[in-house]
Amino acid sequence: SAVGKGPEVPFSSEAYRISAASRGKELRLTLVPLGTGDPQDLVFRFGMSGSFRLCPAAQLPRHAHLRFLTRESPPRALCFIDARRFGSWRLGDAWQPGRGPCVLSEYQAFRENVLKNLDDKAFDKPICEALLNQKFFNGIGNYLRAEILYRLKIPPFEKARTVLEALKDQEQAKRKKPSLTLSKKLKLMRENPDLLELCHTVPMEVITTEKKLFEPDHVDNYAAFKNWLQCYLVPGMSSLRDRNGRTIWFQGEPGPMAPKGQASRKKRAQLKADPEALTPKVTARASKRRPRAAAKPPKPAEEEEEVADGPRKGRSRGRRKVPTAPALSEPEAPVKAKRSRRMTARRGRGEAGSP
């Protein structure tokens, strides 16, 4: 299409076959002519919204940036659709360099690549951020990391190396034990899955399901995907933005490396739903001491949300210096404090205080 950002595809054939292979977050299409001509390879990255759809050529969907037409009558088109245009394609069969083994198709190589490189600085970060590093976790995205950590009850902002070093110790212990049969190994994996195993089995659940969970035109299928999710976007879960600006959903404590100055979205939602929660309870003693402060109306929930998003101010920074001369903008002092200052001044001049 005219607005597509990918390169032109120098391929034309009266009849050709399309085959596909995937690795991590990439998909390779191979166009093979049924007559004469050379095959053409394209490697796609999908971004956040990229997908393929087969539809009538006369009814192309919006954002169909690349189309492969059939010879049927009427013809159909296999379209690469990308509303946000974060996806891309490039010519050739080479996978993007710097990506590790695929969590699905190259599981053993993926596992070894992680465990032998735990001294890499990537594992100095929280586990939720390390899981998006495609050099080690090729194929894991935002919703998958939330589901994996939730199932193992791992705080998302626990240090990645701390979480994974325990697996390295387990690997060494297994090597010392007599080798188990394959059936016993599979049984142990099902009963005691570790984080690297779930990086393989959780996305496999999505792939092997009978429904097309991600087809946006079918409401029932999207509902099935929502029902499959246990943590990501699920009501009642907490969420924070990591240091890359990506939102991580979780349950329980976030962990020791959680970003400072953020309030969980779950808490903000509760405050918005219950405005009374914003108003501190004022005891009888406190209301006598500061009658005007107790009478102030509560802040609206919207104001509280804005405060929650920004850094909290310390007490010393929040205080105002009292000017030597009264100013119009000076906040009104409590009644008792005003009266005590007046009486002190009168006593200094030798006057009697009025009742």
Short mmCIF file of all heavy atoms in Angstrom, two decimals, residues 235-283:
data_model
loop_
_atom_site.label_atom_id
_atom_site.label_comp_id
_atom_site.label_asym_id
_atom_site.label_seq_id
_atom_site.Cartn_x
_atom_site.Cartn_y
_atom_site.Cartn_z
N PRO A 235 -9.24 -7.85 36.29
CA PRO A 235 -9.65 -6.98 37.40
C PRO A 235 -9.16 -7.52 38.74
O PRO A 235 -9.17 -8.72 38.99
CB PRO A 235 -11.19 -7.02 37.33
CG PRO A 235 -11.49 -7.37 35.91
CD PRO A 235 -10.38 -8.29 35.47
N GLY A 236 -8.71 -6.60 39.60
CA GLY A 236 -8.21 -6.98 40.91
C GLY A 236 -6.70 -7.14 40.97
O GLY A 236 -6.13 -7.17 42.06
N MET A 237 -6.04 -7.26 39.81
CA MET A 237 -4.58 -7.34 39.78
C MET A 237 -3.97 -5.95 39.88
O MET A 237 -4.60 -4.96 39.50
CB MET A 237 -4.10 -8.02 38.49
CG MET A 237 -4.53 -9.46 38.36
SD MET A 237 -3.76 -10.50 39.62
CE MET A 237 -4.77 -11.99 39.49
N SER A 238 -2.77 -5.88 40.39
CA SER A 238 -2.04 -4.62 40.46
C SER A 238 -1.21 -4.43 39.20
O SER A 238 -0.96 -5.38 38.46
CB SER A 238 -1.11 -4.61 41.68
OG SER A 238 -1.85 -4.80 42.87
N SER A 239 -0.80 -3.20 38.94
CA SER A 239 0.05 -2.95 37.78
C SER A 239 0.97 -1.76 38.05
O SER A 239 0.61 -0.84 38.78
CB SER A 239 -0.80 -2.67 36.54
OG SER A 239 -1.55 -1.49 36.70
N LEU A 240 2.16 -1.83 37.46
CA LEU A 240 3.14 -0.75 37.53
C LEU A 240 3.83 -0.65 36.17
O LEU A 240 3.86 -1.62 35.41
CB LEU A 240 4.19 -1.02 38.60
CG LEU A 240 3.79 -0.88 40.07
CD1 LEU A 240 4.91 -1.40 40.96
CD2 LEU A 240 3.48 0.57 40.42
N ARG A 241 4.38 0.52 35.88
CA ARG A 241 5.19 0.66 34.68
C ARG A 241 6.65 0.33 35.01
O ARG A 241 7.18 0.82 36.01
CB ARG A 241 5.10 2.09 34.12
CG ARG A 241 3.76 2.40 33.48
CD ARG A 241 3.80 3.75 32.81
NE ARG A 241 4.11 4.82 33.76
CZ ARG A 241 3.21 5.44 34.51
NH1 ARG A 241 1.94 5.08 34.45
NH2 ARG A 241 3.56 6.41 35.34
N ASP A 242 7.28 -0.49 34.17
CA ASP A 242 8.69 -0.77 34.39
C ASP A 242 9.53 0.38 33.85
O ASP A 242 9.00 1.38 33.37
CB ASP A 242 9.09 -2.12 33.76
CG ASP A 242 8.94 -2.13 32.24
OD1 ASP A 242 8.94 -1.04 31.62
OD2 ASP A 242 8.83 -3.23 31.66
N ARG A 243 10.86 0.25 33.90
CA ARG A 243 11.73 1.35 33.51
C ARG A 243 11.75 1.60 32.00
O ARG A 243 12.30 2.59 31.55
CB ARG A 243 13.15 1.10 34.04
CG ARG A 243 13.23 1.26 35.55
CD ARG A 243 14.54 0.71 36.12
NE ARG A 243 14.57 0.84 37.57
CZ ARG A 243 13.99 0.00 38.41
NH1 ARG A 243 13.31 -1.04 37.95
NH2 ARG A 243 14.07 0.17 39.72
N ASN A 244 11.14 0.70 31.25
CA ASN A 244 11.01 0.91 29.81
C ASN A 244 9.64 1.47 29.43
O ASN A 244 9.33 1.60 28.25
CB ASN A 244 11.24 -0.42 29.07
CG ASN A 244 12.64 -0.96 29.30
OD1 ASN A 244 13.60 -0.22 29.26
ND2 ASN A 244 12.74 -2.26 29.55
N GLY A 245 8.82 1.75 30.44
CA GLY A 245 7.50 2.31 30.18
C GLY A 245 6.44 1.27 29.87
O GLY A 245 5.31 1.62 29.54
N ARG A 246 6.76 -0.02 29.99
CA ARG A 246 5.79 -1.08 29.73
C ARG A 246 5.08 -1.44 31.03
O ARG A 246 5.70 -1.54 32.09
CB ARG A 246 6.49 -2.32 29.17
CG ARG A 246 7.30 -2.08 27.90
CD ARG A 246 6.44 -1.79 26.70
NE ARG A 246 5.53 -2.87 26.38
CZ ARG A 246 5.85 -3.93 25.64
NH1 ARG A 246 7.08 -4.06 25.16
NH2 ARG A 246 4.94 -4.86 25.37
N THR A 247 3.78 -1.67 30.95
CA THR A 247 3.00 -1.99 32.14
C THR A 247 3.08 -3.48 32.44
O THR A 247 2.86 -4.31 31.57
CB THR A 247 1.53 -1.58 31.94
OG1 THR A 247 1.46 -0.18 31.70
CG2 THR A 247 0.70 -1.91 33.19
N ILE A 248 3.41 -3.80 33.70
CA ILE A 248 3.45 -5.18 34.15
C ILE A 248 2.31 -5.40 35.14
O ILE A 248 2.13 -4.60 36.07
CB ILE A 248 4.82 -5.55 34.78
CG1 ILE A 248 4.79 -6.98 35.37
CG2 ILE A 248 5.24 -4.55 35.85
CD1 ILE A 248 4.69 -8.06 34.36
N TRP A 249 1.54 -6.45 34.93
CA TRP A 249 0.43 -6.81 35.82
C TRP A 249 0.89 -7.92 36.75
O TRP A 249 1.61 -8.82 36.33
CB TRP A 249 -0.77 -7.26 34.99
CG TRP A 249 -1.32 -6.16 34.13
CD1 TRP A 249 -0.80 -5.72 32.94
CD2 TRP A 249 -2.44 -5.33 34.42
NE1 TRP A 249 -1.55 -4.68 32.47
CE2 TRP A 249 -2.57 -4.41 33.34
CE3 TRP A 249 -3.36 -5.26 35.46
CZ2 TRP A 249 -3.57 -3.45 33.29
CZ3 TRP A 249 -4.36 -4.31 35.41
CH2 TRP A 249 -4.46 -3.42 34.34
N PHE A 250 0.44 -7.86 38.01
CA PHE A 250 0.92 -8.83 38.98
C PHE A 250 -0.03 -8.87 40.16
O PHE A 250 -0.96 -8.06 40.28
CB PHE A 250 2.33 -8.47 39.47
CG PHE A 250 2.41 -7.12 40.16
CD1 PHE A 250 2.34 -7.02 41.54
CD2 PHE A 250 2.56 -5.96 39.41
CE1 PHE A 250 2.41 -5.78 42.18
CE2 PHE A 250 2.62 -4.72 40.04
CZ PHE A 250 2.55 -4.63 41.41
N GLN A 251 0.22 -9.82 41.06
CA GLN A 251 -0.55 -9.95 42.30
C GLN A 251 0.42 -10.00 43.47
O GLN A 251 1.47 -10.64 43.40
CB GLN A 251 -1.40 -11.21 42.27
CG GLN A 251 -2.34 -11.36 43.47
CD GLN A 251 -3.16 -12.63 43.37
OE1 GLN A 251 -2.62 -13.72 43.24
NE2 GLN A 251 -4.47 -12.50 43.42
N GLY A 252 0.09 -9.30 44.54
CA GLY A 252 0.97 -9.31 45.71
C GLY A 252 1.99 -8.19 45.69
O GLY A 252 1.79 -7.16 45.05
N GLU A 253 3.12 -8.41 46.35
CA GLU A 253 4.17 -7.40 46.43
C GLU A 253 4.92 -7.29 45.11
O GLU A 253 5.19 -8.31 44.46
CB GLU A 253 5.16 -7.76 47.55
CG GLU A 253 4.56 -7.69 48.95
CD GLU A 253 4.07 -6.29 49.29
OE1 GLU A 253 4.79 -5.32 48.96
OE2 GLU A 253 2.99 -6.16 49.87
N PRO A 254 5.31 -6.07 44.71
CA PRO A 254 6.02 -5.92 43.43
C PRO A 254 7.46 -6.41 43.46
O PRO A 254 7.99 -6.83 42.44
CB PRO A 254 5.96 -4.41 43.17
CG PRO A 254 5.80 -3.79 44.51
CD PRO A 254 5.00 -4.77 45.32
N GLY A 255 8.12 -6.35 44.64
CA GLY A 255 9.51 -6.77 44.72
C GLY A 255 10.44 -5.61 45.04
O GLY A 255 10.07 -4.44 44.93
N PRO A 256 11.68 -5.92 45.44
CA PRO A 256 12.60 -4.88 45.95
C PRO A 256 13.07 -3.88 44.90
O PRO A 256 13.55 -2.81 45.26
CB PRO A 256 13.79 -5.71 46.47
CG PRO A 256 13.73 -7.00 45.73
CD PRO A 256 12.29 -7.27 45.49
N MET A 257 12.98 -4.19 43.60
CA MET A 257 13.48 -3.28 42.58
C MET A 257 12.36 -2.49 41.89
O MET A 257 12.55 -1.95 40.80
CB MET A 257 14.29 -4.06 41.53
CG MET A 257 15.50 -4.76 42.08
SD MET A 257 16.44 -5.66 40.81
CE MET A 257 17.23 -4.28 39.95
N ALA A 258 11.22 -2.41 42.55
CA ALA A 258 10.09 -1.68 41.97
C ALA A 258 10.42 -0.19 41.85
O ALA A 258 11.09 0.38 42.71
CB ALA A 258 8.85 -1.86 42.84
N PRO A 259 9.98 0.46 40.77
CA PRO A 259 10.25 1.90 40.60
C PRO A 259 9.63 2.70 41.73
O PRO A 259 8.53 2.39 42.20
CB PRO A 259 9.57 2.24 39.26
CG PRO A 259 9.40 0.93 38.57
CD PRO A 259 9.25 -0.10 39.64
N LYS A 260 10.36 3.72 42.18
CA LYS A 260 9.87 4.56 43.27
C LYS A 260 8.91 5.62 42.72
O LYS A 260 9.00 6.04 41.58
CB LYS A 260 11.04 5.26 43.98
CG LYS A 260 12.13 4.31 44.47
CD LYS A 260 11.60 3.30 45.46
CE LYS A 260 12.71 2.36 45.94
NZ LYS A 260 12.18 1.29 46.81
N GLY A 261 7.99 6.06 43.56
CA GLY A 261 7.12 7.18 43.21
C GLY A 261 5.92 6.81 42.38
O GLY A 261 5.21 7.69 41.90
N GLN A 262 5.66 5.51 42.18
CA GLN A 262 4.48 5.10 41.43
C GLN A 262 3.48 4.48 42.38
O GLN A 262 3.85 3.78 43.32
CB GLN A 262 4.84 4.05 40.38
CG GLN A 262 5.37 4.61 39.08
CD GLN A 262 5.42 3.51 38.02
OE1 GLN A 262 4.43 2.87 37.74
NE2 GLN A 262 6.60 3.30 37.47
N ALA A 263 2.20 4.75 42.13
CA ALA A 263 1.15 4.06 42.86
C ALA A 263 0.57 3.00 41.95
O ALA A 263 0.44 3.20 40.75
CB ALA A 263 0.06 5.04 43.29
N SER A 264 0.22 1.86 42.54
CA SER A 264 -0.38 0.80 41.75
C SER A 264 -1.70 1.26 41.16
O SER A 264 -2.47 1.96 41.80
CB SER A 264 -0.62 -0.43 42.63
OG SER A 264 -1.49 -1.33 41.99
N ARG A 265 -1.98 0.89 39.91
CA ARG A 265 -3.23 1.28 39.28
C ARG A 265 -4.43 0.68 39.99
O ARG A 265 -5.50 1.24 39.99
CB ARG A 265 -3.23 0.84 37.81
CG ARG A 265 -2.29 1.63 36.95
CD ARG A 265 -2.48 1.28 35.50
NE ARG A 265 -1.50 1.95 34.68
CZ ARG A 265 -1.45 1.86 33.36
NH1 ARG A 265 -2.32 1.11 32.73
NH2 ARG A 265 -0.53 2.50 32.67
N LYS A 266 -4.25 -0.47 40.57
CA LYS A 266 -5.34 -1.09 41.32
C LYS A 266 -5.76 -0.19 42.47
O LYS A 266 -6.94 0.05 42.70
CB LYS A 266 -4.89 -2.45 41.84
CG LYS A 266 -5.90 -3.12 42.77
CD LYS A 266 -5.29 -4.39 43.35
CE LYS A 266 -6.17 -4.98 44.43
NZ LYS A 266 -5.55 -6.13 45.09
N LYS A 267 -4.79 0.37 43.19
CA LYS A 267 -5.10 1.24 44.32
C LYS A 267 -5.79 2.51 43.85
O LYS A 267 -6.73 2.98 44.45
CB LYS A 267 -3.82 1.59 45.08
CG LYS A 267 -3.19 0.38 45.76
CD LYS A 267 -1.90 0.77 46.45
CE LYS A 267 -1.26 -0.45 47.09
NZ LYS A 267 0.03 -0.13 47.70
N ARG A 268 -5.30 3.09 42.74
CA ARG A 268 -5.93 4.31 42.24
C ARG A 268 -7.37 4.05 41.83
O ARG A 268 -8.24 4.87 42.06
CB ARG A 268 -5.13 4.85 41.04
CG ARG A 268 -3.77 5.38 41.42
CD ARG A 268 -3.33 6.43 40.43
NE ARG A 268 -3.18 5.89 39.10
CZ ARG A 268 -2.08 5.38 38.60
NH1 ARG A 268 -1.00 5.31 39.36
NH2 ARG A 268 -2.01 4.91 37.38
N ALA A 269 -7.63 2.89 41.26
CA ALA A 269 -9.00 2.57 40.86
C ALA A 269 -9.90 2.46 42.07
O ALA A 269 -11.05 2.90 42.06
CB ALA A 269 -9.02 1.27 40.06
N GLN A 270 -9.39 1.91 43.16
CA GLN A 270 -10.18 1.80 44.38
C GLN A 270 -10.50 3.18 44.93
O GLN A 270 -11.61 3.44 45.36
CB GLN A 270 -9.43 0.98 45.42
CG GLN A 270 -9.39 -0.51 45.10
CD GLN A 270 -8.53 -1.27 46.09
OE1 GLN A 270 -7.72 -0.68 46.80
NE2 GLN A 270 -8.68 -2.58 46.11
N LEU A 271 -9.51 4.08 44.91
CA LEU A 271 -9.74 5.42 45.41
C LEU A 271 -10.80 6.14 44.59
O LEU A 271 -11.65 6.84 45.11
CB LEU A 271 -8.44 6.22 45.39
CG LEU A 271 -7.36 5.78 46.36
CD1 LEU A 271 -6.08 6.56 46.12
CD2 LEU A 271 -7.82 5.97 47.80
N LYS A 272 -10.74 5.95 43.27
CA LYS A 272 -11.70 6.62 42.40
C LYS A 272 -13.10 6.08 42.65
O LYS A 272 -14.08 6.80 42.60
CB LYS A 272 -11.30 6.40 40.94
CG LYS A 272 -12.06 7.28 39.98
CD LYS A 272 -11.45 7.19 38.60
CE LYS A 272 -12.17 8.14 37.64
NZ LYS A 272 -11.58 8.08 36.30
N ALA A 273 -13.20 4.78 42.92
CA ALA A 273 -14.51 4.18 43.15
C ALA A 273 -15.07 4.54 44.51
O ALA A 273 -16.28 4.53 44.72
CB ALA A 273 -14.41 2.66 43.03
N ASP A 274 -14.21 4.89 45.46
CA ASP A 274 -14.66 5.19 46.82
C ASP A 274 -14.09 6.52 47.27
O ASP A 274 -13.05 6.57 47.91
CB ASP A 274 -14.21 4.05 47.76
CG ASP A 274 -14.72 4.26 49.19
OD1 ASP A 274 -15.60 5.13 49.36
OD2 ASP A 274 -14.23 3.59 50.11
N PRO A 275 -14.76 7.66 46.91
CA PRO A 275 -14.21 8.98 47.26
C PRO A 275 -14.03 9.17 48.75
O PRO A 275 -13.18 9.92 49.20
CB PRO A 275 -15.25 9.96 46.69
CG PRO A 275 -16.02 9.16 45.68
CD PRO A 275 -15.99 7.76 46.16
N GLU A 276 -14.85 8.45 49.57
CA GLU A 276 -14.73 8.63 51.02
C GLU A 276 -13.38 8.14 51.53
O GLU A 276 -12.91 8.57 52.56
CB GLU A 276 -15.85 7.88 51.72
CG GLU A 276 -17.23 8.49 51.45
CD GLU A 276 -18.31 7.75 52.20
OE1 GLU A 276 -17.96 6.84 52.98
OE2 GLU A 276 -19.48 8.08 52.02
N ALA A 277 -12.76 7.24 50.78
CA ALA A 277 -11.45 6.72 51.20
C ALA A 277 -10.39 7.81 51.15
O ALA A 277 -9.35 7.70 51.78
CB ALA A 277 -11.03 5.56 50.32
N LEU A 278 -10.66 8.90 50.41
CA LEU A 278 -9.69 9.98 50.32
C LEU A 278 -9.70 10.87 51.55
O LEU A 278 -8.78 11.61 51.80
CB LEU A 278 -9.98 10.84 49.08
CG LEU A 278 -9.90 10.13 47.73
CD1 LEU A 278 -10.40 11.06 46.65
CD2 LEU A 278 -8.48 9.71 47.44
N THR A 279 -10.82 10.86 52.29
CA THR A 279 -10.98 11.77 53.41
C THR A 279 -10.47 11.12 54.68
O THR A 279 -11.01 10.11 55.11
CB THR A 279 -12.47 12.13 53.61
OG1 THR A 279 -13.02 12.46 52.34
CG2 THR A 279 -12.63 13.27 54.58
N PRO A 280 -9.43 11.69 55.34
CA PRO A 280 -8.94 11.09 56.58
C PRO A 280 -9.96 11.25 57.69
O PRO A 280 -10.66 12.25 57.76
CB PRO A 280 -7.66 11.90 56.88
CG PRO A 280 -7.84 13.17 56.15
CD PRO A 280 -8.68 12.88 54.96
N LYS A 281 -10.07 10.23 58.54
CA LYS A 281 -10.98 10.33 59.67
C LYS A 281 -10.42 11.32 60.68
O LYS A 281 -9.26 11.25 61.06
CB LYS A 281 -11.15 8.96 60.33
CG LYS A 281 -11.92 7.98 59.45
CD LYS A 281 -12.14 6.68 60.18
CE LYS A 281 -12.93 5.72 59.31
NZ LYS A 281 -13.18 4.43 59.99
N VAL A 282 -11.26 12.25 61.15
CA VAL A 282 -10.83 13.29 62.08
C VAL A 282 -11.38 12.96 63.45
O VAL A 282 -12.59 12.85 63.63
CB VAL A 282 -11.34 14.67 61.61
CG1 VAL A 282 -10.85 15.75 62.56
CG2 VAL A 282 -10.86 14.95 60.20
N THR A 283 -10.52 12.76 64.42
CA THR A 283 -10.96 12.47 65.77
C THR A 283 -11.46 13.74 66.43
O THR A 283 -11.23 14.85 65.97
CB THR A 283 -9.80 11.89 66.61
OG1 THR A 283 -8.76 12.87 66.66
CG2 THR A 283 -9.25 10.62 65.95
#
